[in-house]
Amino acid sequence: MKARTRAALVAPALSLAGLLAVTGSASAAEGTASGDLTPVPLNGVDGSGDAMVWVDGTTLTVEFAASGLLAGSPHAAHLHYGEDAANQCPTEADDADGSGTITTTEGVPSYGSVQVSLTTEGDTSGDSALAVDRFDTAEGGNIDYQRGEIEVSQDLADDILAGDVALVVHGVDYDGSGAYDGDTESDLDPSLPAEATDPALCGILSAGQMDEMPAGGVQTGTGSTAGTENAGLIAGGGVALLAGGGLAAGLVARRRRADQES
């Protein structure tokens, strides 16, 4: 009698455990966030772009296209977020020192610190914030970036789906010389020119419905290292930087065309 009673109690418990396991896996967050990339005010960039992030639990697939950047030079790009930040792109009012430009540090209260480094390979954490040899080079002034299997925390995945995360592309050319140079020092490292680290394009990624993931799951950027003659100018600022439906359809269609042509 006792054995039958024990078995009767165990069976429902096992069933409940199985139900909880299924429920837990089904509750993983899924969705997308997308937005337009526009020039950071005052920084002299005549560029634009668009971006989309697919969220599947704690795994991201990121695509962004940008134009009007400093050609032939590497451009650090990140997902930025901060609990205490406004979670918006900078405005002219963020020029706190009245210099006439927006530095990376001046932008942090708006877009937050680096959460994901959009490298073409290897580590994607904040530790790679300025891993110049692993960021895309803007051939002809353009970047077309795709990468999947980027692992993040559940908190950051939730922040992305809440529409609170910004995608920021760094690197400007104030004097039109075609290289990272100039007399103005970077706010991250006085041995570097401001052009090397100041933000160029920014976009807040708004939450949307789950669209089809890019075919193939894992995509990478071009991985080009052309233009890394400028790499030494910005590599030292990484630690300081750390402190501091139509769009969706278009991006999906672009991936489909690329897959069909390959």
Side-chain angles (χ1 to χ4, degrees):
M1 179 68 176
K2 290 182 179 179
R4 287 197 298 272
T5 302
R6 188 179 302 111
L9 291 172
V10 169
L14 290 174
S15 298
L16 178 60
L19 177 61
L20 290 174
V22 172
T23 303
S25 61
S27 65
E30 291 186 351
T32 58
S34 60
D36 294 330
L37 304 180
T38 59
V40 172
L42 303 178
N43 285 5
V45 176
D46 184 16
S48 63
D50 50 43
M52 174 172 280
V53 178
W54 286 261
V55 180
D56 184 4
T58 57
T59 303
L60 310 182
T61 297
V62 179
E63 290 195 359
F64 78 86
S67 61
L69 300 171
L70 177 57
S73 295
H75 289 264
H78 317 97
L79 297 181
H80 285 250
Y81 172 76
E83 289 187 3
D84 297 327
N87 298 314
Q88 64 184 27
C89 288
T91 68
E92 293 186 9
D94 290 307
D95 177 20
D97 63 4
S99 65
T101 63
I102 304 292
T103 66
T104 297
T105 300
E106 287 174 331
V108 166
S110 289
Y111 47 58
S113 59
V114 173
Q115 302 298 318
V116 176
S117 298
L118 298 178
T119 54
T120 59
E121 61 182 3
D123 177 57
T124 57
S125 74
D127 292 339
S128 294
L130 285 178
V132 181
D133 60 331
R134 293 188 289 112
F135 284 108
D136 259 324
T137 296
E139 298 297 343
N142 303 317
I143 289 177
D144 190 0
Y145 175 92
Q146 309 94 28
R147 184 167 182 181
E149 301 299 325
I150 298 173
E151 292 297 327
V152 299
S153 69
Q154 186 62 66
D155 285 344
L156 183 59
D158 292 342
D159 293 330
I160 293 171
L161 293 179
D164 291 333
V165 171
L167 193 152
V168 182
V169 182
H170 299 263
V172 301
D173 185 18
Y174 293 128
D175 59 10
S177 69
Y180 294 142
D181 56 19
D183 297 330
T184 303
E185 298 175 347
S186 167
D187 61 318
L188 305 181
D189 185 336
S191 69
L192 308 177
E195 292 183 343
T197 57
D198 283 358
L201 300 175
C202 175
I204 299 298
L205 305 181
S206 300
Q209 297 298 315
M210 188 67 174
D211 294 280
E212 181 181 344
M213 295 277 283
V218 179
Q219 304 290 334
T220 62
T222 64
S224 172
T225 56
T228 52
E229 63 274 10
N230 288 323
L233 293 176
I234 60 179
V239 174
L241 178 62
L242 287 175
L247 172 61
L251 284 168
V252 171
R254 188 172 64 200
R255 283 291 339 136
R256 285 174 176 165
R257 287 197 299 271
D259 294 331
Q260 290 169 357
E261 293 170 358
S262 60

